[in-house]
Amino acid sequence: MPAQTPAPAGRGITVPDLVSHARILGLGGYRPRRVITNEEICTWIDSTDEWIRTRSGITERRWAGSDETLAFMSVQAASAALADAGVDAADIGCVILATVSHLEQTPALAPQIAHQLGAVNAAAFDLSAGCAGFCHGVALGRDMIHSGSARYVLVIGAERLTDLIDKNDRATAFIPGDGAGAVVIGPSEQPGIGPVVWGADGSQAGVISQTRDWKSFADDPSGPRPIWQMSGQQVFRWASYEMVPVAQRALQAAGITVDDLDAFIPHQANLRIIDAMVRALKLPADVPVARDIAEAGNTSAASVPLAMERMRRDGQAPSGGTALLIGFGAGLSYAAQVVTLP
Ligand SMILES: CC(C)(COP(=O)(O)OP(=O)(O)OC[C@H]1O[C@@H](n2cnc3c(N)ncnc32)[C@H](O)[C@@H]1OP(=O)(O)O)[C@@H](O)C(=O)NCCC(=O)NCCS
C-alpha cells in the first residue's frame, strides 16, 4: 500500500503520497507513405535543394495522403506503442493527444482515438502546446502515474501540418512533415521520468502563428484561408539560445549531467538549432543526437517520439539508456525532461 498523507482532524481528503514511479514502457511511430524530396518542393517554390539542406538540414519529408488522417496515424503509432509495452488498451487510464493540426474545434480527437484503440476505460483529451506538446504530455502522464490518477497513460504526438501550409510559400513550405509518435507510460520500481522544466512566453505569440483566425475567415472567405506563418530568425534565436538553460535545468532536476546521457532527443525544428544546442550544452562527442529532421522535416508534436523511435530502430539509443528530451515551439511554449528510454 502506498504511504498516505493523513487527513486533518475532522473531515478531509486523504491522498496517497506517491503511488508509483513512472517510466516509458513502449514506443511506436507512423510515417506517411509519400516521400517529398527537396527537388519536388522546388517545383512549387523558388528555392534549391542546396539552400534547403544548408539552412534547415532537411533532405526529404513525408506528407500524409488523404487516407492517412490524424486519427489513422495516431492509432497506428499508438497500437505499436501498446504492443511494444505489452499493455492492453483497456488498461489505459488516459489518452493524451498532442497536436495543433486537428481541424475541428469540437469535439477533441483523443476520445475517438481511444475508442478506435479499445481504450474503453480511459479519459481522453487533446493538448495544444505546439512542438512542445509531446513533452507536456509526458510530464502530465508521469504525474498521473505518480498520483494514482491512472495506471497507464498513452501520450501521442501527431500532426498533419501540411493541411495548414500554403505549399507555394517559400518561407515555410519546405519545413513541415506529417506523422505520429506515441509512448505508453506506466508504473516503475525506479524513477524513469525526471521532473519537467517547462514554461511559456505569450508575449511572443505572433512569432509562430496563423495568418488569420478561422472566425475572420468565416466572416470574409474572399481572402486566402488561414495558413501557418513564422518569423524564422526570431524562432531560430529563441530556440538556439534560450532553450539551452531549460535543457540544463532539466538535467539538474534529474540529478545528472551531460556526461550521464546516452542520447539527446531535441525537437526536430532545424539541424542548425540542434547543432547550436549540442555545442552550447557541451555534449560529449560520443552522445548520440537525434537528427531525424533530415528525413522527416519538422513534424511538430510528433517530432520527439518519432526521433526516439528512429534512434532505437537504428540502434543509436539503447533501451534502458538515459535521454534528454526538449520540445519548443508555438506559444511560445517549451518543456524538457530526462527519461529512461523504453
Ligand atoms: C526558416 C529558416 C530556415 C530560414 O533561414 P534564414 O537563414 O533565417 O533565412 P531568412 O529568412 O533570413 O532568408 C535569407 C534569404 O533567403 C531567402 N529565402 C527564404 N526562403 C527561401 C527558400 N525557401 N529558398 C531560397 N531562398 C529563400 C530570403 O528571401 C532571404 O533572401 P535575401 O537575403 O535576399 O533577403 C530559419 O530561419 C529557421 O529554421 N528558423 C527556425 C524555424 C523553426 O524552427 N520553426 C519551427 C519552430 S518549432
Side-chain angles (χ1 to χ4, degrees):
M1 282 293 286
Q4 304 268 311
T5 298
R11 297 174 70 188
I13 298 171
T14 302
V15 294
D17 287 339
L18 174 72
V19 171
S20 172
H21 293 299
R23 66 166 286 178
I24 298 174
L25 301 173
L27 169 67
Y30 179 83
R31 295 171 195 266
R33 289 183 300 272
R34 185 168 170 218
V35 175
I36 309 280
T37 61
N38 287 345
E39 284 78 9
E40 188 171 354
I41 291 274
C42 293
T43 62
W44 306 310
I45 61 170
D46 176 15
S47 189
T48 61
D49 171 48
E50 205 221 331
W51 191 95
I52 297 172
R53 276 176 202 258
T54 323
R55 299 291 175 126
S56 70
I58 300 170
T59 59
E60 61 185 42
R61 71 289 286 146
R62 304 284 182 116
W63 283 14
S66 57
D67 57 329
E68 291 169 311
T69 63
L70 205 53
F72 173 82
M73 294 191 293
S74 298
V75 168
Q76 298 300 308
S79 301
L82 285 165
D84 189 43
V87 169
D88 215 54
D91 292 329
I92 296 290
C94 187
V95 176
I96 301 173
L97 173 66
T99 189
V100 293
S101 45
H102 174 49
L103 295 184
E104 285 170 39
Q105 201 73 45
T106 199
L109 189 56
Q112 295 162 63
I113 292 167
H115 171 71
Q116 288 182 39
L117 289 167
V120 289
N121 299 306
F125 58 88
D126 294 358
L127 186 164
S128 176
C131 306
F134 175 78
C135 292
H136 279 68
V138 169
L140 294 180
R142 165 198 190 258
D143 290 357
M144 286 181 199
I145 310 294
H146 280 199
S147 65
S149 304
R151 185 156 171 79
Y152 297 102
V153 177
L154 182 59
V155 181
I156 306 163
E159 301 287 7
R160 274 181 62 106
L161 285 183
T162 50
D163 288 337
L164 299 170
I165 59 162
D166 171 358
K167 73 175 196 174
N168 297 308
D169 173 19
R170 78 169 184 161
T172 52
F174 63 95
I175 297 173
D178 300 327
V183 294
V184 174
I185 299 175
S188 164
E189 304 244 309
Q190 302 295 326
I193 304 176
V196 68
V197 174
W198 54 2
D201 178 5
S203 74
Q204 297 198 67
V207 171
I208 306 171
S209 61
Q210 265 180 215
T211 45
R212 60 195 296 205
D213 66 54
W214 291 104
K215 166 110 175 64
S216 87
F217 182 55
D219 290 347
D220 175 17
S222 62
R225 74 180 182 93
I227 57 157
W228 186 58
Q229 66 181 358
M230 79 180 164
S231 309
Q233 291 202 2
Q234 254 175 286
V235 178
F236 195 95
R237 274 194 300 274
W238 173 75
S240 302
Y241 301 111
E242 296 192 35
M243 290 304 99
V244 171
V246 173
Q248 286 166 332
R249 280 163 49 210
L251 291 170
Q252 209 173 20
I256 66 166
T257 72
V258 284
D259 296 321
D260 301 310
L261 287 175
D262 298 300
F264 177 43
I265 313 181
H267 168 49
Q268 305 289 293
N270 181 312
L271 200 56
R272 289 188 297 145
I273 295 176
I274 296 170
D275 289 340
M277 291 179 84
V278 165
R279 282 192 300 275
L281 283 168
K282 298 188 171 53
L283 205 70
D286 60 347
V287 175
V289 177
R291 292 194 168 89
D292 191 36
I293 184 156
E295 277 123 27
N298 178 344
T299 57
S300 189
S303 92
V304 169
L306 277 176
M308 192 188 292
E309 185 262 344
R310 183 187 292 273
M311 287 187 96
R312 189 176 73 171
R313 181 158 38 91
D314 291 353
Q316 277 184 286
S319 181
T322 301
L324 171 63
L325 314 183
I326 180 164
F328 47 86
L332 295 173
S333 298
Y334 58 86
Q337 64 264 105
V338 174
V339 303
T340 303
L341 291 165

